[in-house]
Amino acid sequence: MVSEHAEPEPAAAASTAQVLVASNRGPVSYTLGEDGTLDAKRGGGGLVSGLSAVDDKLWVCAALGDGDREAVRRGVGEAGVRMLDIDAEVHADAYNGIANSVLWFVHHLLYQTPVEPVFDAEFRRQWASYETYNRAFARALAEEAGPGASVLVQDYHLALVPGMLRELRPDLRIGHFSHTPWAPVDYFRLLPDDIAEQLLRGVLGADRAAFLTRRWADAFIGCCTEILGGTGRTRIGVHGLGADADFLRRRSHEADVDERMAVLREQVGEGRKTIVRVDRTELSKNIVRGLHAYRALLDAHPEWRERVVHIAFAYPSRQDLAVYRDYTAAVQTLATEINGAYGTESWTPVVLHVKDDFARSLAAYRLADVALVNPIRDGMNLVAKEVPVVSDHGCALVLSREAGAYEELGADAIVVNPYDVTGTAEALHEALTMSADERSGRTKRLAEAATALPPQQWFLDQLEALRQG
């Protein structure tokens, strides 16, 4: 168990690692079987892929479940990974209470401000856990880092770590990377004044703070300027994470993907076009408005009835929070309503899947005539970058201007206001009627832009920028 008092001071430990990464979730997770066996599962995503570019590194992460905690207690683990057994209640407060219910909501502009947020005594109790959680990471990194090592801290879960680590180890090169948007100053100031200042000073403990787009970097600078008077000595960088083209193209043509494609083709039906979306049921992904837009398309352009199918993959996210369970249920209810109102014996307007299946997602990418990516706000959105890379015959991209990917892909996408259901419906119609030649040309340019900074280079660029001082 890691707590404010249980960790030994860093000076007592031998320090050797020269490249360290810290994130809430690590590259491996463990499941505890009924017979007491531990099964390890490797994770995916841009960060895991990017870090494969560096052989000699240490990844510090949290134990997220009973299996992870049991692995730590037994001394089971992978070389190059240190998993912290932080008290489960402290982690729940920090992760669900603060990171996902406060910081995520602030940066994605999700609050219904007439009734929320309410920063009361319970919030302060959970904030103390967030501090404890961040301090556990800072101490572990201080213990493990060799002299002058480079430490790259990831995301809003660990916003206080750079400042805490700077106090423990002033010799280190510290970077912080935000994978989310950063809130504009007026919205950021919903936070209590002392908390807002503490978060900014935490990130500014880094030598370098980096973001996915210039827009998010400028928002951070704006907050620092307004609240603190500037960013001090911290340098600001932008690194737009791209899709891993080689991996995606190889993986999307394996046998299990071909099997999923056959099933999807049967569900869609012969000769029909497809509108594809692949998301977690995260509030910011705007799935409900996307379904409303599809229904509006069928109303405004009835010629598309029985000629198009909306393949919607909405994989449940954060189901331990009631608001996310309710949102997942709303998605399922609306899809059922659309199918009931418009479907026929031979046509199911919405093919909805809520069980995560990466091979099926890739199959949908390959089948897509139109990709719908309409988040309220998104740090980047890799789906927007992945579909053009994988699509078999080219696809039209309907893209929210509030996605980070808009900066790189907006010129060749059909851009929408994510709140405008009618406008999104018309964008879907435009995408469906786009000529094959135009769609092919746009897809090629989208794929080139989407793969400009693949994950390994994305990570190496940050590491080099941090080391340059």
Side-chain angles (χ1 to χ4, degrees), residues 173-194:
R173 305 296 301 171
I174 304 171
H176 185 275
F177 193 91
S178 293
H179 295 262
T180 65
W182 194 274
V185 63
D186 287 347
Y187 207 90
F188 188 74
R189 299 200 82 162
L190 289 176
L191 293 167
D193 291 351
D194 61 316

Side-chain angles (χ1 to χ4, degrees), residues 157-394:
H157 313 90
L158 303 176
L160 303 182
V161 168
M164 292 174 170
L165 183 57
R166 174 68 62 209
E167 292 183 3
L168 294 171
R169 291 288 303 275
D171 63 302
L172 299 179
R173 305 296 301 171
I174 304 171
H176 185 275
F177 193 91
S178 293
H179 295 262
T180 65
W182 194 274
V185 63
D186 287 347
Y187 207 90
F188 188 74
R189 299 200 82 162
L190 289 176
L191 293 167
D193 291 351
D194 61 316
I195 300 299
E197 182 173 339
Q198 189 178 353
L199 282 166
L200 294 175
R201 293 196 185 281
V203 175
L204 292 178
D207 296 284
R208 194 169 185 273
F211 300 84
L212 287 165
T213 73
R214 172 49 54 186
R215 181 182 180 187
W216 312 143
D218 287 345
F220 175 75
I221 293 169
C223 289
C224 291
T225 301
E226 180 74 17
I227 296 170
L228 303 178
T231 57
R233 296 181 178 179
T234 302
R235 293 175 291 116
I236 308 300
V238 174
H239 303 274
L241 175 62
D244 188 343
D246 292 340
F247 166 75
L248 288 169
R249 287 172 179 146
R250 180 179 67 254
R251 181 67 182 87
S252 64
H253 286 85
E254 293 182 4
D256 59 341
V257 178
D258 290 335
E259 291 170 4
R260 306 302 197 279
M261 284 186 71
V263 173
L264 286 174
R265 281 197 178 102
E266 185 174 347
Q267 291 175 323
V268 169
E270 189 67 31
R272 293 187 176 121
K273 294 202 171 191
T274 59
I275 299 170
V276 169
R277 78 171 307 136
V278 177
D279 282 306
R280 292 175 293 108
T281 50
E282 158 55 52
L283 307 181
S284 65
K285 298 300 183 181
N286 208 24
I287 302 170
V288 169
R289 284 194 190 89
L291 287 168
H292 281 303
Y294 178 63
R295 181 164 62 184
L297 169 74
L298 299 179
D299 284 337
H301 298 279
E303 66 270 23
W304 286 115
R305 297 182 189 182
E306 301 211 50
R307 293 180 53 215
V308 65
V309 171
H310 186 13
I311 300 174
F313 296 164
Y315 300 143
S317 173
R318 300 174 184 168
Q319 294 299 288
D320 44 356
L321 295 176
V323 66
Y324 285 87
R325 294 195 298 272
D326 293 345
Y327 191 74
T328 301
V331 169
Q332 293 173 300
T333 298
L334 184 51
T336 300
E337 288 178 359
I338 293 171
N339 286 337
Y342 300 91
T344 66
E345 189 173 323
S346 61
W347 173 55
T348 303
V350 180
V351 174
L352 175 69
H353 286 285
V354 296
K355 184 177 180 181
D356 197 351
D357 185 331
F358 183 56
R360 188 176 58 213
S361 296
L362 291 175
Y365 288 0
R366 287 180 59 186
L367 289 173
D369 293 298
V370 177
L372 175 59
V373 180
N374 68 320
I376 293 168
R377 195 168 168 88
D378 216 335
M380 176 54 68
N381 196 294
L382 282 178
V383 171
K385 292 187 169 185
E386 291 169 350
V387 179
V389 173
V390 173
S391 174
D392 279 355
H393 304 293

